[in-house]
Amino acid sequence: MDYLVDETARPTFDKLTERRLQDIEALAPEDRSHLMALMDAFLRDAKTKKAYAS
């Protein structure tokens, strides 16, 4: 919650997630944009499935 209020606070992640985030940051902007679009689509679909499952 602190990282939502305090811009200097950072959430903590496991080592694998930290490595993936570093890899994403190192991507070219166009590649990062494509990856974010894929993640957005996946998350949207997962939320939709969850909403209809309940």
Side-chain angles (χ1 to χ4, degrees):
M1 185 71 167
D2 289 339
Y3 70 92
L4 294 174
V5 178
D6 181 3
E7 292 180 13
T8 61
R10 301 207 52 171
T12 54
F13 298 108
D14 60 72
K15 295 293 180 189
L16 180 58
T17 302
E18 287 179 4
R19 252 184 286 135
R20 285 179 174 156
L21 290 171
Q22 290 170 348
D23 290 343
I24 291 168
E25 287 179 335
L27 290 173
E30 184 177 351
D31 292 336
R32 193 175 326 128
S33 178
H34 289 294
L35 179 58
M36 293 301 173
L38 286 170
M39 288 192 312
D40 288 343
F42 178 85
L43 292 170
R44 181 198 63 231
D45 292 350
K47 288 177 184 178
T48 300
K49 286 178 186 177
K50 185 178 179 180
Y52 283 105
S54 43

